[in-house]
Amino acid sequence: MQQAARVSDFTAMMMMDENRAGGMIEFEATEAIFTRPKNPRTEDYVTGRFG
Amino acid sequence: MSEKRPTTRSSLDRELRAIEDDMLRMGEMVDEAIQGSLRALAERDRGLAQQIVDGDARVNKLRFDIEEACLALMATQQPAAGDLRTVVAAMNVVGDLERMADHAAGNARIVLRMGDEPLLKPLIDIPRMADVCRSMIRDSLQAFVRRDGERARQIAAMDDQIDGLYQQVFRELLSFMVEDPHTTSRALFLLFAAHNLERIGDRATNIAERVLFMTSGVMRELNPEPRESHDLQ
């Protein structure tokens, strides 16, 4: 994840749920995803609360 | 995928909590310094004033200790998103708390410099300013710990009370000096004391701004009017 943060300009957060795989839940500039994500599931993932 | 799986956050959470605990302890030290410096001024207690001046070094050391803990956390845990904003906010908050303690020590130094000269007038608005400052500090640190951005907004609005009281003190002391220039030095001592409290109020507003940044990711001034204008009056 740190490598993705370092080298990318944009980041997409994709997750799997019961119905489908690869649903995109948030897409933003990398800087925004890692400092102020809007989706709580993105926040939980980048702060190590799951995954 | 299960969100109940154990995560690697336990040491991050522990370190964040330790930083917050130390920050609250620093807030208590600042609170005691403000309260003590006002008591020293009201009672002309030079011993107490000297204690506050000497105690400032402990606040300075705690600030550096907390900053080091923040740096170590960033280097070892690579916090992101809300965690990162919390650590960055904490580093800014301890800087503001340290400056508040300097202003409180400044008021204690005023007591030492006044010597035996009697107070120009009874203290009325200056203790009120100190009370509002202390509430702002206590409440903004609680808002930090509770991640309460809405409360932070309300706290910032309290700075208007401090500014209003400062204006009142300023006008009153100015009239003393105009009527009788011999009162100038005694009026200036009180004006400096009020000015230090006015600066503390601005620093407490900074803490509220940091709480809002931490909770929302938005960085902006809560009292955008030119607060520094008091310096020029």
Side-chain angles (χ1 to χ4, degrees), chain A residues 34-37 43 47-49, chain B residues 5 7 9 80-83 85:
Chain A
F34 285 92
T35 61
R36 46 181 191 283
E43 170 93 23
T47 56
R49 287 185 168 84
Chain B
R5 217 165 50 187
T7 68
R9 286 188 54 90
D83 295 329
R85 297 199 306 271

Side-chain angles (χ1 to χ4, degrees), chain B residues 192-206:
Chain B
F192 286 141
H195 182 74
N196 279 328
L197 291 168
E198 192 273 329
R199 300 306 303 153
I200 289 173
D202 286 349
R203 295 277 173 179
T205 305
N206 288 352

